[in-house]
Amino acid sequence: MRCLVVIPARLASTRLNEKLLRRVGGKSILQHTYESAQRASIADGVLIAVDDPRLAAEVERFGGDCRLTSPECQSGTDRIAEIALLHEDVDVFVNVQGDEPEIAPETISQVGQALLANATADIATAACPIRTQEQVEDPNCVKVVTGSDGKALLFSRSPIPYARDGITPGLFSSDPPVFAMHLGIYAYRRDFLLWFAQQPPSRLEQTERLEQLRALEAGKTIVVTNIDESTPGIDTLEDFHAFEERYRSREGAP
């Protein structure tokens, strides 16, 4: 089965505008993400789905592969669905967010393999343990609850599962973890993507502002693979400066 990694890239950003064009070590955030995705063993190719000619020019500058998609796309998934229409020969599409310059290639491959290994699953995604109460209570940290079969039961910005007797330190040391943070990486089957793009936002999706709930409400199956820890994305100027510092430390740059 063929697997294409697609990086949906949008120029505008609410909290840090045009962040994908910001440079660290002479490379844009988008280039760093692209190069990480290229190292994923599962990928038969990496394509960037851009919404603006400036992003297309940046991809051309560093020698990447891109396609200009419709500015009417409401989400990264819609952008990837547009790509899927053009690639009938691809079975699985892995969605890697463009603002994840430090994403581990192994994580990308693990998510893709999780979908390939589960014939009844429509989507695969990833989660990692939550080890602090602050994260549990943070609405920007999306939580996921899975069944014993590893399939998602619910995603929420609220603390789930609800700790009836209170959140205690023991809940953070359990194995498997009680609380898990959902990571924004997905693998989709092509037929699911084409179906998804034709569906209106669902009730729960609109309530939580979580698009994966559209799939769950429709009875689709999402399998969740577990990794030890997440890698930070770039949402704010503080995130960008923190990435700069980590990069300089790794590269020994002044």
Side-chain angles (χ1 to χ4, degrees):
M1 299 183 79
R2 295 198 68 231
C3 176
L4 180 66
V5 174
V6 183
I7 303 172
R10 189 167 67 94
L11 184 62
S13 178
T14 304
R15 289 191 281 178
L16 184 59
N17 198 37
E18 300 186 2
K19 62 184 176 182
L20 297 183
L21 295 178
R22 289 176 176 261
R23 283 179 152 64
V24 173
K27 299 178 182 179
S28 64
I29 295 297
L30 187 56
Q31 182 176 354
H32 282 288
T33 304
Y34 180 81
E35 291 178 353
S36 293
Q38 279 194 309
R39 295 195 294 272
S41 60
I42 198 172
D44 292 305
V46 180
L47 176 69
I48 303 177
V50 303
D51 75 337
D52 188 281
R54 289 178 60 192
L55 288 173
E58 169 60 13
V59 177
E60 182 178 358
R61 184 196 65 78
F62 64 72
D65 188 12
C66 80
R67 179 172 289 273
L68 189 64
T69 52
S70 171
E72 302 303 315
C73 290
Q74 296 299 304
S75 69
T77 307
D78 292 328
R79 216 169 291 288
I80 295 173
E82 189 173 312
I83 298 298
L85 279 170
L86 305 173
H87 289 271
E88 296 182 11
D89 59 329
V90 175
D91 306 288
V92 171
F93 295 81
V94 181
N95 176 352
V96 174
Q97 297 182 32
D99 59 1
E100 294 275 353
E102 297 175 284
I103 190 168
E106 296 79 13
T107 297
I108 299 171
S109 294
Q110 187 172 326
V111 171
Q113 291 289 358
L115 186 59
L116 293 174
N118 287 268
T120 62
D122 303 286
I123 313 172
T125 190
C128 69
I130 294 176
R131 299 301 189 192
T132 69
Q133 184 166 343
E134 180 183 18
Q135 271 193 309
V136 171
E137 296 175 346
D138 182 358
N140 292 315
C141 172
V142 177
K143 276 68 69 174
V144 58
V145 174
T146 58
S148 58
D149 57 0
K151 294 173 182 175
L153 300 174
L154 183 63
F155 297 85
S156 182
R157 297 183 184 279
S158 296
I160 56 170
Y162 177 73
R164 177 63 180 81
D165 297 324
I167 297 176
T168 61
L171 294 177
F172 298 111
S173 58
S174 66
D175 187 20
V178 172
F179 302 108
M181 177 172 67
H182 175 235
L183 308 178
I185 177 172
Y186 299 92
Y188 316 98
R189 298 194 191 280
R190 182 176 184 272
D191 56 354
F192 167 81
L193 273 173
L194 301 184
W195 169 87
F196 187 87
Q198 299 302 313
Q199 307 306 306
S202 69
R203 176 177 54 90
L204 288 179
E205 174 188 2
Q206 291 177 307
T207 301
E208 291 253 20
R209 294 292 189 266
L210 296 175
E211 119 182 319
Q212 62 269 37
L213 292 175
R214 188 188 313 178
L216 281 188
E217 279 192 87
K220 301 298 184 181
T221 299
I222 303 177
V223 64
V224 181
T225 186
N226 297 305
I227 65 173
D228 291 335
E229 59 183 352
S230 65
T231 50
I234 309 295
D235 290 320
T236 65
L237 187 59
E238 291 74 18
D239 295 336
F240 174 75
H241 289 319
F243 171 55
E244 277 187 310
E245 290 301 315
R246 290 191 298 272
Y247 180 85
R248 288 171 180 163
S249 177
R250 285 195 302 267
E251 301 298 319

